[in-house]
Structures are given as structure tokens and as C-alpha cells.
Amino acid sequence: MLKSVAFYPEYIKDKAKIEENLLQIKAGGIDAVRFGEFAWSVTEPSEGRFDFDIFDTAFSLLEKHGLKAVLCTPTACPPAWLCRKYPGILPVNEAGNAIGYGARQHRCYNSPEMRRHTGRAVSALAERYGKRPALLAWQIDNELAAEHKYCYCDTCLEKFRAFLRDKYETVGELNRRWFASFWAQDYSSFDEIPFPRVVEAYLPMRPHPSLTFEYLRFSSESAADFSDFQAGLIRRHSSAPVTTNQDDFRYGDNADWRRIYRDLDFAAFDIYTDEPYELGFYCDLARCVKNRGFWLMEFGSRSRILTKALELAEEKGCEGFGLFAYNPFPAGQEEGQFGLVDGFGRPGENYALFRDYGGGKARGDVARCAPKPRAALIYDFTSSWIYNATEYHSWETGWPRIFSRLLYKDRLLGAAYRALFEAGREVDVIGGEGGFVSPLIMPMHIAYDPGLAARLLDFMKSGGTVLTTDDLFRKNGDNMFLTELPPFFTELGLKGFPERGTEAAFGDGKIVFLDKEADAEEWKRVIL
């Protein structure tokens, strides 16, 4: 397993100091450094004027000392000159105000101006470094759809309406499928469709749930398309593999990983946790997204469970494990006193742990152990977005409002997956297309999919066990509750939607329905 560390030559600037750091990095058993995601103001200090001196220095030194580079595109941080000169690149928040310069992710994925300047900056990077011997891989942007998840600008509204037109074809069909006549929500044209904004009245009200749901789908597609755009630019000049580093779902899973990584070479993610089961989940999801090895781009350099995390990640198929960050930042954004080394360059405790980790346990001891019993867990972004759109508590503000919308993730990861992990299961985190293993776990899978329903019946007929919750298949793909019982339930011999505790045999298999709010102990009881 390759070991890497986030290291920022543009922050250090001095060539002798950069070389001193790289020598210490190499002595620490580290194979590669990752940099560039926040460097746009350095590499393009004014429009069309590039200054790659610091990156040229970094690549020369990396090659001199036998180290590799994961080079990132800088689009997470558009520079001040760009924001001032082209304010149309800035995203707009729900209140209608532009999200200004001063932090990061201040860019609209759909802005034509943002695409134009991204094209110039990314193409220049790819052309200059795409064939350098030290280049190991590319990372697009940084944590797409993390701090900035949704944009409410005029460009996005126009594209959102086109997105709805592609799905529903006519506004009459949209009105019918959304039950829009209630509360006079009918539209006479797609041009009347607004963004789903909270209605701030004396008693604030949420927007139409189907409108919100479709906007979540649109926002995910916008982030993925921005990633695809950059990947295409890079591949014109470089054959190195391309990925991006998705954030965990602690603040929302609005970006569908399967769509994000569809046209990229491998999955990669960032996570900061001291909970092994949480790390295990994202490893299993990343592995199954591309059905191949994955990278963990960022893990805490001061983590108390670093050795355990390295072993667990490698056991689950991790091919590259990265720490954030090597040097601490004494000032500026993400300022702090500790990295893998301290502010004086003295190695911390984890420097030796990282250096000495050779993967023996993961590749040797684990390989000789008896294989773990397997299970499959369906993570369904559609169901998650339905709960997100439906459980939007508009009377709350700030963080509580955000967290109240993560019911799906909390139950699936914190209850069902945790039970599987603690029960010693090897888990495939999959979509609903197939690859089922018994037991097949599908908590809070509220979205009805006739194709999935047929596959589940075939799976049970052949002896498979399905463990699910009592909200199974209650809504359709437009976020409307079903008014007719799906044939899936009548095939099981049920006359209505199941209640918690219901069990049904089918063929040589069976299905068991738990309460959708079942905790880890309840899941563990049925799994064991």
C-alpha cells in the first residue's frame, strides 16, 4: 500500500526548505506527496499569466529524490482576482446572496465563466506536468459538494428547468406526478418552476418535497459533470490515472459517489474518525464503487488509531493511504500547531508509526486467517435524498437543521453497518443492480424500483435472506407515496405494506422487516 502525505510547496516557497522537507518525508517511508488543490492564486496570479516556478521546483526535487506526486487541480479555491473580475463564477445561497471570496468552494459548477477559466487553468497544469516522471495520479478539485452543495444562481435555475424537462417531457406530466394541484402548486410552463427555498413566514414552510428531491438529484449531477469536464481536459495531455477525493457523509451525501466516479479511474475519499466501523464503511463503499482498489486521500496525521486504520484500510483493498498534513500551518486557513511533524520540523509520534508500517498484518496475518462471512448492504442515494427532502425541518436553523436531514445515513451507517462490522462480517456496500450476498441488508430503502423488486424476488427464491425495514418501497422515484401496493408485496403473500416484525418466506429464502429506527443492537440480533 502506497503511503502519501499532503504537502504544500507553495506555502513553504523556499527551495532549500522544500528539499529539506522532502528528504524528511522520504526518510519517513512516504512514497508520494499530494499538492495543488489550493494553489490557483500562486500558479495563475493574474488572468492568463502563469507562474509555475514553485511547482517546477517541487517536481524536480521529487524526481531527484525518487518521490511521486498526486497533483490536484486548483478549482476549489478561485483566486481573488477571478472573483472580482468575474463575479458570475460565484455560487448563490438559498437567500439569494452570492457566496463571496474568503474561504473555499466559492464556485458554481454550472457557470460558463467558471468553466472557461477552469479550462485554461487545468489545461495549463496538465500540459506542463502530464508527462513528468514523478506524476503518479491526478486529483480533481477537493471534496466536491462539501461546504458548497447547492447553487441558486440564474444559470443553475435555467439548467435545473432543463433537467426537469428531460425527465418529465411536459409540464402537465410533472404536475400530475407531483400531485401539484394541492396547494395550487401547478405550473403552466417549466419557466415557472422555482428553486426549492424555505418559505420564511411566521411559521416557516418547506418547499414541495418532489421539487426539493429533484433539486438534490440535479445538484449531484452538476458536481459530477464539473468533475467529468476536468477529467476530459487532463486526459488530453496525460495518461496518469484521474480521481477526486470525496468527503464523508457527516454533512450530507448529496453527491452520488457512483455517478461521481463513473468516468474516473478509481475512487478516493477523505475521512477523519477514531471509529473503526466508520472507516470500514467508507472503505467498503469506495471498493465497491469501482470494483477495484481505492485510495484514502486524507486521514488525520495525529489520529489515535493510525495503525489500526492502516491495517483496516489495507485489508479492505486500499492501495494508497494519505495523511493530512505533513507540516502544520502556523497561520492562515487551517492554522494549527501539529501535523505529522510539528512547527519546528520535529517528528510526532505518528511519524514513526507511519514510517514503520509495512502492511505485514494486512497482507500476511489476515491473508492466512479464515475468510470472514460476507454480507451485502445497499446504499441507495435516491432513498437518502427522499428522506433529505421530506425530513427538512424548516423551523430549525444552522447545524441542527442540517443534521436533522441525515436520518438515512445515520441509520444505515451508525446502526446497520456498525452491526455488520461488529459481528465480523465482510461487507459489500452496493447499489441495487445486483451482486447480492446473503444476508442482504437494505435499511430505509423507501424508493420503489420495479427492477430491484424483481431481483430481490429472484434472490430470495434461490435461498437468499433479505433484512430490511418497514418503510421499504413506500415511495416512487418522484418522491410520492405509492397509492397502490407494489406487486412485490403481493408476491410475498402480503395484503398491505409490512409492519415491523413481519417475516415472509419466499422460495428457499425469506425477508424480515425491522423498525426503520432500529439501532445497532437490534440489527445485530437479526444478523447473528
Side-chain angles (χ1 to χ4, degrees):
M1 182 170 66
L2 177 141
K3 291 182 283 187
S4 69
V5 67
F7 173 73
Y8 299 95
E10 74 275 14
Y11 195 93
I12 298 171
K13 296 183 174 65
D14 179 75
K15 179 177 180 179
K17 188 67 173 176
I18 292 172
E19 185 164 24
E20 178 185 326
N21 277 253
L22 291 178
L23 287 170
Q24 191 179 35
I25 285 171
K26 185 175 179 64
I30 296 168
D31 307 291
V33 298
R34 166 180 160 266
F35 62 95
E37 72 270 33
F38 305 134
W40 199 339
S41 65
V42 174
T43 56
E44 190 181 10
S46 61
E47 185 172 358
R49 182 174 71 86
F50 291 101
D51 183 352
F52 291 120
D53 181 65
I54 199 68
F55 279 14
D56 288 347
T57 294
F59 268 91
S60 295
L61 292 172
L62 289 169
E63 287 158 5
K64 176 182 176 181
H65 297 295
L67 291 165
K68 295 294 186 180
V70 177
L71 185 59
C72 310
T73 65
T75 49
C77 287
W81 64 261
L82 181 57
C83 299
R84 174 179 52 81
K85 194 171 182 180
Y86 301 99
I89 73 164
L90 298 172
V92 174
N93 65 19
E94 189 174 351
N97 301 316
I99 299 173
Y101 173 82
R104 66 179 185 180
Q105 294 213 2
H106 46 280
R107 71 279 191 265
C108 168
Y109 298 126
N110 294 309
S111 162
E113 287 292 350
M114 184 63 194
R115 291 291 181 105
R116 181 167 70 87
H117 294 289
T118 292
R120 182 182 62 251
V122 172
S123 296
L125 271 179
E127 187 172 4
R128 192 171 189 91
Y129 301 111
K131 294 180 172 59
R132 290 293 294 251
L135 181 67
L136 179 65
W138 291 90
Q139 175 191 297
I140 291 171
D141 202 89
N142 184 76
E143 298 176 351
L144 289 162
E147 292 92 346
H148 159 51
K149 299 184 183 300
Y150 315 112
C151 180
Y152 298 79
C153 74
D154 291 343
T155 297
C156 284
L157 182 57
E158 183 179 320
K159 287 185 174 291
F160 178 46
R161 288 167 174 168
F163 178 84
L164 294 174
R165 192 178 289 110
D166 286 344
K167 176 176 178 178
Y168 294 97
E169 296 186 351
T170 69
V171 74
E173 179 68 2
L174 180 147
N175 288 333
R176 182 188 69 80
R177 287 163 63 175
W178 286 12
F179 195 58
S181 56
F182 193 61
W183 282 24
Q185 297 284 300
D186 292 285
Y187 303 106
S188 58
S189 85
F190 283 101
D191 292 337
E192 293 177 354
I193 296 175
F195 283 123
R197 288 187 168 104
V198 172
V199 180
E200 297 291 353
Y202 182 76
L203 293 176
M205 293 168 285
R206 71 184 185 198
H208 194 291
S210 294
L211 177 66
T212 302
F213 167 70
E214 295 292 4
Y215 182 58
L216 297 178
R217 292 181 56 242
F218 164 77
S219 298
S220 175
E221 180 60 30
S222 296
D225 187 69
F226 186 64
S227 174
D228 291 347
F229 170 66
Q230 294 197 42
L233 297 171
I234 291 168
R235 287 174 175 144
R236 294 175 189 173
H237 305 284
S238 178
S239 59
V242 183
T243 189
T244 187
N245 60 327
Q246 283 307 104
D247 203 2
D248 65 59
F249 301 155
R250 191 173 287 109
Y251 306 112
D253 61 351
N254 57 295
D256 180 344
W257 279 28
R258 298 182 184 101
R259 173 61 186 90
I260 288 283
Y261 291 111
R262 186 188 68 190
D263 298 326
L264 300 182
D265 295 300
F266 59 92
F269 66 97
D270 301 344
I271 187 170
Y272 296 83
T273 182
D274 285 332
E275 293 287 356
Y277 79 88
E278 191 174 18
L279 173 60
F281 169 80
Y282 291 102
C283 288
D284 285 330
L285 174 60
R287 171 177 52 82
C288 293
V289 160
K290 297 292 287 185
N291 291 315
R292 57 152 294 177
F294 58 90
W295 286 21
L296 203 176
M297 283 292 189
E298 289 185 21
F299 193 73
S301 60
R302 304 283 293 182
S303 172
R304 295 173 294 180
I305 64 162
L306 179 58
T307 300
K308 171 67 176 176
L310 286 159
E311 293 171 349
L312 178 60
E314 189 167 16
E315 179 185 341
K316 289 184 173 294
C318 183
E319 295 178 348
F321 192 107
L323 297 180
F324 185 92
Y326 189 72
N327 302 101
F329 306 103
Q333 301 287 12
E334 302 199 59
E335 65 177 0
Q337 295 179 301
F338 299 103
L340 196 58
V341 299
D342 69 14
F344 304 102
R346 297 175 302 189
E349 178 183 357
N350 279 353
Y351 177 92
L353 291 177
F354 202 46
R355 178 195 64 206
D356 296 340
Y357 180 77
K361 181 173 181 180
R363 287 197 291 265
D365 298 343
V366 171
R368 288 190 291 271
C369 292
K372 294 181 179 180
R374 301 192 70 81
L377 175 72
I378 293 181
Y379 196 105
D380 181 52
F381 285 88
T382 297
S383 292
S384 181
W385 295 338
I386 285 174
Y387 270 109
N388 186 314
T390 304
E391 301 293 334
Y392 192 105
H393 299 317
S394 58
W395 51 269
E396 294 179 332
T397 58
W399 293 114
R401 184 176 79 176
I402 294 173
F403 289 133
S404 71
R405 298 164 64 185
L406 303 182
L407 301 177
Y408 180 92
K409 183 274 296 182
D410 290 343
R411 293 298 175 188
L412 185 140
L413 198 167
Y417 182 88
R418 182 172 187 170
L420 290 164
F421 184 88
E422 293 177 353
R425 295 275 186 166
E426 188 65 49
V427 186
D428 295 332
V429 181
I430 60 174
E433 297 78 17
F436 299 161
V437 176
S438 188
L440 175 64
I441 317 295
M442 44 191 307
M444 298 183 73
H445 197 113
I446 197 170
Y448 176 53
D449 176 348
L452 171 59
R455 289 189 288 275
L456 291 175
L457 290 173
D458 288 342
F459 176 66
M460 288 186 285
K461 189 174 182 179
S462 300
T465 295
V466 177
L467 306 177
T468 186
T469 48
D470 54 5
D471 57 345
L472 180 69
F473 295 160
R474 297 295 183 102
K475 283 192 165 186
N476 65 16
D478 304 326
N479 196 16
M480 280 188 59
F481 280 106
L482 298 177
T483 56
E484 295 183 1
L485 190 68
F488 174 80
F489 294 107
T490 56
E491 288 281 341
L492 294 173
L494 302 177
K495 297 182 179 180
F497 286 111
E499 298 180 354
R500 61 184 178 183
T502 300
E503 293 191 22
F506 189 80
D508 294 328
K510 66 175 182 177
I511 187 169
V512 179
F513 296 89
L514 285 75
D515 190 318
K516 72 175 184 179
E517 297 186 2
D519 61 18
E521 291 305 314
E522 293 175 85
W523 277 104
K524 205 176 295 183
R525 281 195 290 271
V526 296
I527 290 166
L528 296 175

